[in-house]
Structure formats: C-alpha cells, structure tokens
Amino acid sequence: MSTQTVYVTGIARWARVYQEDMDTGFNNERFHITVCPDAESSVMLRASGSRVKAKEDEEGTWYKFSRDNRKTFTRKGIPEEELLGPPKVIIQDGNNTDGSPKYVPFNEKIGNGSTVTVKLSVYDTKQYGKGTRLEKVLVLNHVPYEGRTNEEPF
C-alpha cells in the first residue's frame, strides 16, 4: 500500500481543527475543515483517487477533509489504538535567513472565508479504495472567526 501527499488550496469554512473544537458527534472524535478548492487543486484531488465526496452549493464545490483523534491500526495481526491528535495548523511568518518561508504554529480559530492550503494523505485501504486524512493546515489569508450570532438564550 502506498500513501500519496496531496495539497489542496482554497477557501475554508467550518474549520474544527483544534482540540477544543473537536467534533464529538455520533461517538466519534474528529477534526475537520471544509474547502472550496481552486481549479488546479480540484484536478490534483481527483487525480489522487481520493474518495472524498464533493458537495455543491451556490458558492462552489466543497470538500470536507477530516482526521480522527484516535484510530485503531492492526500491526502484525494485533489491533492497536493510536492517538493521532489534531492536524498541525501553521502560518507563514516571514522568511528564514536562506530566504525560504518561515512557518510558525497558528492558534487562532479559522473563520469562514479564510484561504488555506491543506496537506492530505491519500492512502490505500483494504476494502474501500482510497482513504483521505487531513494532516496539516497552512493559513494563507486569515479571516477571524466571528462565532455564532443572533442566538437566543433558549
């Protein structure tokens, strides 16, 4: 089985990529981000064989990329649960002395409309074709998270 790395750049929404944001619905612990990729990224994603399904709306074509907090792997016939944790989230902070980009951890919530590049692992599975796992998020243009608005207290 081989693993392929795919980078997808686009507009983000509904980012839940930090431990405190983890989605715990349906007895799962999962991190995720939804991205509307640019044309080049769409082609690369389809070419990778990823089975992530697209959803269309008036704003474009969206893909939801996720990462389990815990995953059970079978090694030498023995199932082992492994803590994967949240994806790394980074932002460029200037350049290194050699001129290459300098990346630092980014800890602010990612608001809808932010531009991001997500690093994905696309891997073979035993039964279901190609699986896709969110590995890292690079924030290119940050839009602050505004939270929910106009909520009634009850």
Side-chain angles (χ1 to χ4, degrees), residues 71-87:
K71 190 82 172 173
T72 300
F73 295 97
T74 302
R75 294 184 180 97
K76 298 182 182 177
I78 301 169
E80 297 177 24
E81 185 174 83
E82 187 174 318
L83 178 66
L84 298 177

Side-chain angles (χ1 to χ4, degrees), residues 22-37:
M22 184 172 49
D23 187 352
T24 57
F26 304 106
N27 294 322
N28 289 321
E29 294 181 343
R30 185 170 284 153
F31 306 97
H32 55 80
I33 188 168
T34 303
V35 178
C36 181

Side-chain angles (χ1 to χ4, degrees), residues 1 74 124-129:
M1 289 199 250
T74 302
D124 295 325
T125 65
K126 290 183 179 179
Q127 298 178 349
Y128 305 110

Side-chain angles (χ1 to χ4, degrees), residues 4-150:
Q4 179 183 0
T5 300
V6 177
Y7 296 90
V8 175
T9 300
I11 304 300
R13 65 180 180 191
W14 303 318
R16 297 181 79 169
V17 293
Y18 298 112
Q19 194 71 41
E20 63 272 10
D21 294 331
M22 184 172 49
D23 187 352
T24 57
F26 304 106
N27 294 322
N28 289 321
E29 294 181 343
R30 185 170 284 153
F31 306 97
H32 55 80
I33 188 168
T34 303
V35 178
C36 181
D38 60 27
E40 181 181 341
S41 294
S42 291
V43 170
M44 288 175 37
L45 183 61
R46 284 193 299 276
S48 74
S50 171
R51 293 181 321 110
V52 174
K53 297 204 183 325
K55 294 194 177 182
E56 304 264 341
D57 69 13
E58 64 280 348
E59 295 178 30
T61 303
W62 298 86
Y63 295 87
K64 183 176 180 180
F65 303 112
S66 63
R67 175 186 183 86
D68 291 330
N69 188 41
R70 299 175 194 282
K71 190 82 172 173
T72 300
F73 295 97
T74 302
R75 294 184 180 97
K76 298 182 182 177
I78 301 169
E80 297 177 24
E81 185 174 83
E82 187 174 318
L83 178 66
L84 298 177
K88 289 183 171 48
V89 182
I90 58 175
I91 193 166
Q92 185 175 347
D93 184 25
N95 293 318
N96 293 311
T97 54
D98 65 358
S100 63
K102 177 182 173 186
Y103 298 108
V104 296
F106 187 72
N107 299 313
E108 294 180 42
K109 288 189 175 187
I110 300 170
N112 293 348
S114 295
T115 305
V116 299
T117 296
V118 294
K119 178 181 179 181
L120 308 169
S121 290
V122 179
Y123 54 92
D124 295 325
T125 65
K126 290 183 179 179
Q127 298 178 349
Y128 305 110
K130 301 263 186 188
T132 305
R133 180 175 45 251
L134 175 63
E135 299 291 350
K136 196 179 280 191
V137 179
L138 168 62
V139 179
L140 300 171
N141 180 30
H142 181 245
V143 173
Y145 175 73
E146 294 180 5
R148 297 177 185 211
T149 57
N150 299 330

